[in-house]
Amino acid sequence: MKEKLNINQKGKLMNKSVIVKIEMSGNRYNAFSSDGTKYTSDIGTGTRKGAFKKGMALERREGKNGRIYWWKVPMEMFEATTTPVMPDMTSVDVPTDHAEVLNFIHNSYSLKPTGLMMNELKWKYLVRSGVRGKNIMMTGPAGCGKTMAAKALVNSLDRPDFYFNLGATQDPRATLIGNVHFEKKSGTYFSESVFVKAIQTPNAVILLDELSRAHPDAWNILMTVLDYGQRYLRLDESDGQETIKVADGVTFVATANIGNEYTSTRVMDKALMDRFTIVEMDVLNESEENELLTYMFPHVDSEVLGNVAKIASLTRNEANSDTARVGSGISTRTTVELAGLLFDGFSLPEAAEVSIYPQYDAAGGVDSERTFVKQIVQKFCDDGSSDDLFNEEEVLEATEA
């Protein structure tokens, strides 16, 4: 089995020039170096897609401020890094023998990206569910890393993958089944969706993001697809009302926000929920939050990042108390955005002003949620004041006068 290079190992090689080629897998653009190392999760989707469309490779570079970025370069530069024998592009070869599967699952924690804060038990459970072809539902508060965990599973298993954001889908039937079109010359014809292709791809991993925000029509369509005893999709619009069977080894991974605070979500059907194995993401504690931010933004002052983690922890503890003065705590997604603003030269008060305060209601004046959160943030802000009432220049001016 070829060992996949994890993020810690990549970090040790940051000074080494890396050039990657973009390849399509399902409807995703994956990035591989010539030695078979996968860099997909390190590069933005738009950057990968843009390079693929132009037939170019990407080179990892470091800016003056230490920030890493990827630059389009001619494909010849990638080809110059290859050896006469093409490398094996499979990062992880998932075994089929039961004993080997057990060994793979229980040694899989090394495949977890460093940037994904997930405990060992839940990561192994996630990998086991993926290896066994289970339908997986990632649950947890908004911004806790559900989608990141789902994508990390895809990268770890390195199987064909497809991504569908059901929360942004206006027409579920068109997204999951297809569309009927009309042309003057050929008349009416049916065009099947990418989803139909996805479920026919053996061993594919299909991400169903924001399932709890999907239209009920999408849930009804997915019922037979997700049912282990049925596993088919009926194309009523096609000639002969074709029935498509789900291919062997296909794994569905969904993300969902469940709870009263998510007002744009729908109460999910119990029958649909029963078709999934639930993997619940945990909210990070202060130490874990600080570790994540330090890993992602090593050039930001560690004390300031520690304060960001403390602010987030205090709001979360308050939201969970019996006498809560805020409805919800600051999410990890927000702390990452705030740390990004700090990296770009904003002060903590400025970053909080634009990334934290707008999330809290200002109604109620001094008793409002926003005022309470501001008071928490201000405890960790340096307002520039000094213990001395006057500085040396002011004392000198007063004496001379």
Side-chain angles (χ1 to χ4, degrees):
M1 183 190 301
K2 181 177 180 181
E3 184 179 358
K4 183 176 179 182
L5 193 67
N6 63 35
I7 290 181
N8 275 338
Q9 291 170 306
K10 290 178 187 175
K12 296 176 183 177
L13 300 175
M14 290 305 284
N15 293 326
K16 180 182 176 183
S17 176
V18 174
I19 301 176
V20 298
K21 179 181 179 181
I22 309 303
E23 297 182 352
M24 281 206 71
S25 172
N27 63 349
R28 196 170 189 227
Y29 299 88
N30 286 319
F32 294 98
S33 63
S34 60
D35 64 358
T37 302
K38 191 173 184 180
Y39 287 88
T40 302
S41 58
D42 294 10
I43 310 171
T45 303
T47 303
R48 284 182 274 121
K49 183 176 181 180
F52 180 84
K53 296 293 185 184
K54 293 185 178 180
M56 300 182 75
L58 291 171
E59 182 180 27
R60 183 174 60 192
R61 298 181 178 181
E62 184 173 347
K64 293 181 180 179
N65 58 4
R67 195 166 192 174
I68 302 301
Y69 66 96
W70 294 83
W71 189 258
K72 295 185 186 71
V73 295
M75 188 59 69
E76 290 77 7
M77 291 183 64
F78 172 81
E79 293 170 351
T81 66
T82 61
T83 58
V85 179
M86 286 300 292
D88 178 11
M89 290 300 186
T90 303
S91 295
V92 175
D93 182 18
V94 179
T96 54
D97 179 75
H98 179 62
E100 293 180 351
V101 168
L102 290 181
N103 184 62
F104 175 79
I105 292 171
H106 292 285
N107 288 289
S108 65
Y109 197 59
S110 62
L111 301 177
K112 183 190 73 66
T114 305
L116 174 64
M117 306 305 291
M118 191 174 187
N119 69 50
E120 186 171 356
L121 173 61
K122 290 194 175 182
W123 172 258
K124 289 179 179 179
Y125 183 44
L126 177 61
V127 171
R128 179 263 178 187
S129 299
V131 169
R132 294 301 190 188
K134 301 290 185 180
N135 301 327
I136 305 164
M137 180 177 290
M138 310 293 301
T139 67
C144 69
K146 297 185 295 295
T147 303
M148 182 181 180
K151 291 182 177 180
L153 173 66
V154 170
N155 289 334
S156 296
L157 300 181
D158 198 25
R159 292 176 169 177
D161 56 281
F162 298 81
Y163 177 83
F164 300 92
N165 189 323
L166 298 183
T169 300
Q170 301 299 317
D171 188 348
R173 294 196 69 81
T175 300
L176 299 177
I177 295 177
N179 269 318
V180 175
H181 304 276
F182 175 79
E183 286 186 357
K184 254 186 177 181
K185 294 182 180 180
S186 58
T188 302
Y189 67 95
F190 172 72
S191 174
E192 65 183 30
S193 68
V194 175
F195 184 76
V196 175
K197 173 189 174 185
I199 66 174
Q200 295 180 87
T201 305
N203 298 314
V205 180
I206 301 175
L207 304 184
L208 304 174
D209 208 6
E210 301 287 1
L211 184 62
S212 53
R213 296 180 184 274
H215 192 280
D217 285 351
W219 297 347
N220 292 333
I221 293 169
L222 290 170
M223 283 291 191
T224 57
V225 176
L226 297 169
D227 190 289
Y228 293 116
Q230 300 181 66
R231 303 283 276 185
Y232 72 84
L233 177 65
R234 189 176 181 85
L235 307 183
D236 293 330
E237 289 86 348
S238 68
D239 292 338
Q241 296 183 332
E242 187 179 4
T243 297
I244 304 295
K245 296 293 291 182
V246 177
D248 292 338
V250 172
T251 298
F252 294 91
V253 184
T255 67
N257 292 319
I258 301 173
N260 294 331
E261 67 267 35
Y262 304 110
T263 56
S264 295
T265 62
R266 295 178 170 88
V267 177
M268 294 188 65
D269 188 284
K270 178 63 175 175
L272 182 68
M273 292 282 290
D274 284 344
R275 284 163 166 76
F276 288 96
T277 294
I278 306 296
V279 178
E280 185 179 29
M281 294 292 292
D282 296 319
V283 177
L284 304 186
N285 59 37
E286 182 184 325
S287 175
E288 292 168 334
E289 195 87 23
N290 191 17
E291 181 183 346
L292 173 64
L293 296 177
T294 301
Y295 166 75
M296 295 184 70
F297 300 94
H299 298 286
V300 177
D301 182 84
S302 59
E303 184 177 351
V304 178
L305 291 181
N307 287 340
V308 172
K310 290 175 182 176
I311 291 168
S313 180
L314 286 171
T315 61
R316 292 167 190 170
N317 291 339
E318 178 63 29
N320 291 325
S321 70
D322 294 333
T323 57
R325 283 168 284 182
V326 292
S328 61
I330 297 170
S331 71
T332 296
R333 182 182 291 122
T334 297
T335 63
V336 169
E337 172 63 18
L338 194 149
L341 290 169
L342 295 173
F343 179 78
D344 288 332
F346 291 83
S347 66
L348 181 55
E350 290 171 336
E353 185 73 35
V354 295
S355 65
I356 296 179
Y357 302 154
Q359 300 182 34
Y360 293 93
D361 192 357
V366 294
D367 295 323
S368 68
E369 285 190 345
R370 184 173 299 187
T371 299
F372 178 75
V373 173
K374 279 186 176 182
Q375 289 172 345
I376 292 177
V377 173
Q378 286 167 1
K379 291 179 181 178
F380 300 94
C381 294
D382 180 7
D383 60 5
S385 63
S386 170
D387 292 336
D388 297 323
L389 188 59
F390 300 105
N391 59 34
E392 291 182 6
E393 292 181 0
E394 291 170 330
V395 172
L396 182 60
E397 288 176 3
T399 304
E400 292 177 347

